[in-house]
Structures are given as C-alpha cells and as structure tokens.
Amino acid sequence: MTAPVTSTVIRFRVNGHDREMLVPVRLTVAELLRDRLGLTGTKVSCEMQVCGACTVVVDGDPVSSCAALACDLDGTEVLTVEGLAQGRDLHPVQEAFMEANALQCGFCTPGFIMMAVALLDAHPDAGAEDVREWMDGNLCRCTGYAPIETAVTLAASRLTAATAEDGQ
Amino acid sequence: MAVLPELGLVRSGDLDEVLAAVDYDHAAYAGGTELVPAMGLGLRRPAAIVDLKRVEALKKIEVDAEVGSVTIGAAVTHRRLSDHPAVREHLPTLAAAASRVGNARVRSTGTVGGNLCFAEPRSDLGCVLVALDATAEVRSTRGARTLSIDELIVGAFETSLEPDEILTAVAVPFEPPGMSYWKLQSYERPTLGVALVVSADQWEVTVGAATERPTRAVLGVGDAAGLAAFVDRLELSDDMTGPPDYKRSVLRAHLQRALGAAL
C-alpha cells in the first residue's frame, strides 16, 4: 500500500505570484492564506460551508477556504480579495459594492465580492436569477441583501459594457 | 478556528492503489465538503484521507446510447454534472437538481459520490437517483459489485458500503417522460424533496430529505387513497425546519397540485 504522508509540497499561484510550499495535510486553505501568507482579507466564520465569508476563487470556481485542504491547491491558481485591485484602481465589483452601499460592518464583504467575481467570470451575462442563485450561499447580517444584489447587477452591466467596447 | 488533528494523505492516480489504501481509518476523500467539516467537529477522525480526485476514471461522464444510460464517475462535481451537455440532454431533472445543491461553493467541489456516500438524508441527488432507478458501481480490492441506489443508502448517514469499498460511479438510465423534482428549502439543505414520474398508467412518487432515506411508492394513476395512505405512513423528521405534521401538509399540498389528486 502507498504509505500516507502528513505533509506535501504544493506549487500554486496566488494573486499572480508563484509559490512553492511544504504544507501539512491537515492545513486548510483559509489557514494557509491567513496564517502563512498573511492574506487576512479572507475571513473565517461558520467553518461549515454555510456563511461564505471565507470564499476564494480557485481555478475560476468559488471555494470555501475553511473547508478545503491546502494540499489540494497543488497546480491551481488562487484569487483572493487582495488580488483584485490593480494598484489603487479597484476591481469593478469592489467599485460597485462601494457605490451601492453593499456593505456595513464589512466582515462578509470579501466573501461576497469573491463570489460575485466567480459568478461574473463564469457568466458575464448573469441575470437577476443567476445573481440570486450564486449569492444565496453567502450570509450578511447587516445589509438586508438588496444593496448587494444591486451591486452585483451593477458590476455585471459595467463588465458587459466594457467587454462590448473592447470588442468594437 | 478549529484546527484539524494531524492527518495523513494517500494520493495516487491509480485506482488499484487507491483501493488498497481505503479502509475505516483511511477515508475516501474527494471534494471534502462533508468530510472536512466533520473532521473539524471531531465527528470523523480518520488517520488519513485517500484522495480520489487524481483517478481519471472516477471523473468521467459517459453516455451509452444503446443501453440508454449515462455513467457518472463518483468524483464528478455537482457543477460539472449540472453543466454537462449530455446530462442536460438525457437527465434534465438531475442536472437541474445538481445546479441547486447546497450553494455555489459546494457545487464547485462537492461530488456525486460524496453526496451519496455521506448519506445525509437532506439531499437532492439521492431522491432523484432513486426515482431514476440508478445503480451504484462499487469496487474494492476484493472485486466489483453493482447495487441500486435504494440498496446503497440504508439510513441516515448510513450506506451499505463495506469500509474497504468505494463508490466508483453511478449508472443512470435516461430520464423517462413525465419526470419532475420539486423541493422545499429554507437553509443550505432541502427540507423536503419530491421526485415524480408520471406515466399513462403509473404514479411513481419518491420522497426525500424529510425521510431517513429516499422512499418510493408506485401507484396506479388516480389512486388517491393509496397516495394518501403512503403520505400518512411516511416517518418524517422533526428538526429546526419544522415538525412532521408541517412537512406532511406541504407534501400533501404539493402532490395535490402536481398530480391533481384530492388528498
């Protein structure tokens, strides 16, 4: 039988930087990002895949970093909230959250933003139904959700318009 | 943050090596959507996890047009299942159910095999697959066997798999006409799921989520009395989403509407 190992080397890319690290198998992606890489924008709350605060994007898919193991990142590309802005220019989703007042205390915001980024990446033409279907796995205890929905819809329309402009 | 205890990893692209490693203390692992939180809570304490994701055979979706079935590898994620053209064509109800499992993150990583083998009663796929007469393909170093999904799921959080066996695939006959799946859901898991297959002479009703395991009744068309007796007999769960009486009322109302039966 192949003997189990308790740590493994992973090679992956996070927010555009290549990394090679030896990680224990028991380490979660959230622990890797927050404790080892100092990327504390990713929040941890329920640890049950329910609240969405820890959402990051792995190879384009939204993932609960609290319930994913770091050993699975080998060969992947990870995007966290820290990787969105270009210098001082915010990502269109971040801009839209600010404009629509889609945050109050801000704890859930990185998770919501990363989920919206994953959605608009996969479905640039996302409609109201898609927005609800993708965002309904993220919990916010302040806003009442309507401003968040407005923000994601606003970001979607801007990204679509920008893509159309690029195409001309 | 709950820190997981030390954990081993077995990783191989070879199914035989994976099978040689799996036993009670060496848990089959794919998406981790159920296993990682369960380990965090101390509900499951395997010495090692055995990663199934590098075994290509477990990630295939294959259509057999002659037999009229789709074989879905156990490590296929809910998102791949719901987005796959052949699944959408031949198993539209299953594809739609998979597109609403858990939340968008669970659908990215969670797998068909994990969903079935964890045997959480509040699941959509189990109910839909029982209604579709799907079969489970099971392997161990001792050999292979095939069983119905009904035989695989024996109770809440309980399957008939031996500790050294893994589910490798699910074979699903093409969806028959007249099939539908409806669910009531207020949190991340369904409260009640109902799969119907209505043909010229039969009502097939499969109830899941509120039952310990998907429970099916096959009735003659128009047999309202038989349907009422089935609904009355079901043992329904009592949890934070509501008492059994409430779930029974919802179930009755849905069946009345969907089948036009006076219950």
Side-chain angles (χ1 to χ4, degrees):
Chain A
M1 187 192 106
T2 317
V5 295
T6 54
S7 59
T8 182
V9 173
I10 54 171
R11 290 175 195 86
F12 65 113
R13 176 174 281 217
V14 58
N15 298 336
H17 300 286
D18 288 322
R19 299 270 182 184
E20 181 171 332
M21 298 172 79
L22 179 69
V23 295
V25 174
R26 61 172 181 78
L27 195 75
T28 65
V29 173
E31 289 167 331
L32 173 80
L33 294 171
R34 291 178 54 86
D35 304 343
R36 306 218 170 182
L37 296 174
L39 297 170
T40 53
T42 300
K43 306 303 180 200
V44 175
S45 180
C46 76
E47 298 183 61
M48 300 284 293
Q49 294 234 55
V50 172
C51 76
C54 71
T55 305
V56 298
V57 178
V58 179
D59 285 344
D61 279 329
V63 167
S64 295
S65 61
C66 74
L69 296 180
C71 62
D72 279 341
L73 292 182
D74 189 36
T76 65
E77 177 146 12
V78 182
L79 184 64
T80 73
V81 72
E82 290 91 343
L84 294 180
Q86 304 288 322
R88 296 186 63 82
D89 295 330
L90 293 179
H91 186 280
V93 172
Q94 291 173 307
E95 288 279 357
F97 267 66
M98 274 177 54
E99 281 175 44
N101 292 315
L103 60 142
Q104 287 180 32
C105 89
F107 187 86
C108 69
T109 310
F112 268 100
I113 286 180
M114 296 318 290
M115 183 58 86
V117 167
L119 163 65
L120 299 180
D121 216 31
H123 303 281
D125 55 345
E129 183 75 3
D130 300 312
V131 171
R132 289 193 166 205
E133 207 168 294
W134 280 63
M135 307 305 291
D136 82 352
N138 287 60
L139 302 183
C140 174
R141 287 293 175 250
C142 307
T143 62
Y145 299 106
I148 295 176
E149 205 178 340
T150 307
V152 180
T153 310
L154 179 64
S157 62
R158 282 185 186 161
L159 285 165
T160 314
T163 312
E165 235 167 66
D166 286 349
Q168 280 170 358
Chain B
M1 215 161 25
V3 174
L4 294 179
E6 184 158 274
L7 188 64
L9 169 70
V10 176
R11 187 173 262 168
S12 169
D14 182 72
L15 181 58
D16 289 328
E17 280 186 29
V18 161
L19 291 174
V22 169
D23 61 25
Y24 184 77
D25 282 325
H26 298 77
Y29 165 81
T33 55
E34 302 286 14
L35 185 58
V36 174
M39 289 191 296
L41 292 168
L43 297 172
R44 188 82 171 81
R45 298 173 185 276
I49 51 175
V50 182
D51 191 1
L52 308 181
K53 291 190 297 294
R54 296 203 176 173
V55 183
E56 285 306 318
L58 300 179
K59 297 195 285 192
K60 282 189 182 154
I61 296 178
E62 286 175 319
V63 180
D64 187 333
E66 237 164 73
V67 177
S69 77
V70 184
T71 300
I72 302 157
V76 168
T77 63
H78 301 304
R79 174 150 305 121
R80 251 194 82 217
L81 181 65
S82 63
D83 287 351
H84 197 280
V87 177
R88 293 168 78 108
E89 183 187 346
H90 299 297
L91 302 168
T93 302
L94 180 66
S99 77
R100 300 308 303 267
V101 166
N103 55 49
R105 297 178 304 280
V106 168
R107 297 192 286 271
S108 301
T109 51
T111 63
V112 175
N115 187 294
L116 293 174
C117 293
F118 193 65
E120 154 71 71
R122 296 169 299 166
S123 153
D124 302 302
L125 297 192
C127 183
V128 174
L129 289 172
V130 165
L132 282 165
D133 282 319
T135 53
E137 294 174 7
V138 171
R139 286 276 297 271
S140 72
T141 52
R142 295 173 291 122
R145 63 185 179 118
T146 300
L147 57 166
S148 67
I149 301 298
D150 193 44
E151 292 164 327
L152 176 75
I153 304 172
V154 293
F157 304 102
E158 204 183 340
T159 68
S160 55
L161 291 184
E162 298 294 334
D164 66 338
E165 285 182 321
I166 67 164
L167 176 70
T168 54
V170 179
V172 194
F174 289 174
E175 178 173 322
M179 178 161 186
S180 66
Y181 178 69
W182 172 88
K183 68 170 163 176
L184 172 72
Q185 182 165 333
S186 32
Y187 298 96
E188 69 278 6
R189 297 185 196 270
T191 298
L192 175 68
V194 185
L196 297 175
V197 180
V198 178
S199 64
D201 50 359
Q202 262 180 200
W203 283 345
E204 285 183 40
V205 182
T206 309
V207 179
T211 51
E212 274 214 346
R213 52 199 286 274
T215 306
R216 174 155 62 170
V218 180
L219 301 148
V221 167
D223 183 5
L227 186 59
F230 167 69
V231 171
D232 289 342
R233 262 201 322 272
L234 284 173
E235 282 186 32
L236 302 176
S237 59
D238 190 355
D239 57 24
M240 67 188 284
T241 65
D245 283 353
Y246 162 68
K247 292 170 188 168
R248 209 179 307 278
S249 299
V250 173
L251 174 59
R252 236 181 243 125
H254 172 67
L255 292 173
Q256 261 170 350
R257 229 170 275 156
L259 297 171
L263 298 179

